[in-house]
Amino acid sequence: MFFFDSTYILIIIGVILSGIASSFVKSTYKKYSSINNSKGYTATEVSRLILDNAGLQHVKIEAVRGDLTDHYDSSTDILRLSDTTRQSRSVAAIGVAAHEVGHAIQDQRNYIPLKLRSALVPATNFGQKISFPLILLGVIFSYNQTLINLGIIFFSIALLFQLVTLPVEFNASNRAVAILRDHQILSPNEVSQAKKVLSAAALTYVAAAIASFLQVLRLVLLFGGRRND
């Protein structure tokens, strides 16, 4: 006999939403990566300018391989800009770089959601490793609800991480847009274009949070209501 797990549709929905968000950010970035800023700045120059103005002269800028692999490493005070970003003069690249500088400014100002997200990384990694073995053990041992519930709780830490990530990323983007506008690094029209790139990128985090929620919901529907026989 074939058994159809109807809750699997939740995973499919999550995958579809993530795919749509990813495609949208790529198409938006591609569109505005062909538009160079009128002042001729490179993304690296903009990053250094914003960092210095924020009193973050100690933050180094390094290259990192990859496509849109840009990130700020708070443990080493290093801003890493990808191959597609660092020497680009496009409004898209400058928006991405300014966003990562926004994380450096968050770190400088002890932005609580950023600190909380960093603190959740070890727990999230551990939870992802231990959650399914616990659920599997619970099923093996005659649907031991204690083990199953523990597995679901550990898996839910990933959802918490995604939820905490939302304000961190939105705040970094808002800081970036404000700096680019207030310091007149980009023209008003270019700021609007950079904002569209960052808004598209933000959708990937929203999609990730929804996908995590749907995965937790699926586990609850499958195992949360079980009782020991």
Side-chain angles (χ1 to χ4, degrees):
M1 293 180 65
F2 294 94
F3 174 71
F4 175 71
D5 177 10
S6 60
T7 65
Y8 198 74
I9 190 65
L10 298 175
I11 302 300
I12 295 175
I13 292 173
V15 171
I16 292 174
L17 288 176
S18 296
I20 292 174
S22 179
S23 296
F24 182 60
V25 70
K26 287 179 180 179
S27 63
T28 304
Y29 184 88
K30 182 179 180 180
K31 177 180 180 180
Y32 293 108
S33 63
S34 62
I35 302 175
N36 290 338
N37 71 94
S38 56
K39 295 185 178 180
Y41 288 122
T42 66
T44 298
E45 290 171 339
V46 168
S47 299
R48 187 74 270 165
L49 176 63
I50 299 175
L51 287 169
D52 291 347
N53 285 340
L56 294 171
Q57 291 86 354
H58 65 284
V59 175
K60 298 179 181 180
I61 301 177
E62 293 184 354
V64 62
R65 291 188 176 186
D67 182 14
L68 295 179
T69 52
D70 313 87
H71 63 278
Y72 169 68
D73 187 345
S74 60
S75 64
T76 57
D77 291 331
I78 294 177
L79 176 68
R80 296 188 174 91
L81 299 180
S82 67
D83 295 332
T84 54
T85 300
R86 62 179 183 276
Q87 295 305 321
S88 175
R89 302 179 191 275
S90 72
V91 294
I94 288 176
V96 169
H99 171 90
E100 297 306 328
V101 175
H103 287 311
I105 296 174
Q106 288 175 336
D107 188 32
Q108 175 200 42
R109 299 182 181 178
N110 293 314
Y111 184 60
I112 293 177
L114 178 66
K115 299 298 182 183
L116 179 57
R117 185 176 73 169
S118 298
L120 281 172
V121 170
T124 301
N125 292 336
F126 177 75
Q128 290 179 330
K129 291 179 180 179
I130 198 67
S131 58
F132 283 106
L134 283 173
I135 292 173
L136 180 59
L137 284 174
V139 172
I140 292 174
F141 290 110
S142 302
Y143 280 95
N144 184 293
Q145 201 62 51
T146 299
L147 289 175
I148 291 174
N149 289 343
L150 280 174
I152 294 175
I153 290 171
F154 276 116
F155 188 84
S156 299
I157 297 176
L159 172 59
L160 178 60
F161 178 85
Q162 294 292 348
L163 292 176
V164 172
T165 292
L166 292 178
V168 173
E169 298 300 332
F170 279 110
N171 180 266
S173 291
N174 290 337
R175 290 177 189 270
V177 171
I179 291 171
L180 295 174
R181 180 189 64 239
D182 297 344
H183 291 266
Q184 298 182 342
I185 296 172
L186 297 180
S187 69
N189 185 51
E190 291 167 349
V191 169
S192 176
Q193 293 169 340
K195 185 177 181 180
K196 289 179 181 178
V197 173
L198 296 180
S199 296
L203 290 179
T204 62
Y205 297 103
V206 174
I210 294 174
S212 291
F213 169 74
L214 292 175
Q215 288 178 319
V216 172
L217 177 59
R218 178 173 182 260
L219 291 177
V220 171
L221 292 174
L222 284 174
F223 305 109
R226 296 276 187 171
R227 293 183 179 179
N228 293 334
D229 292 334

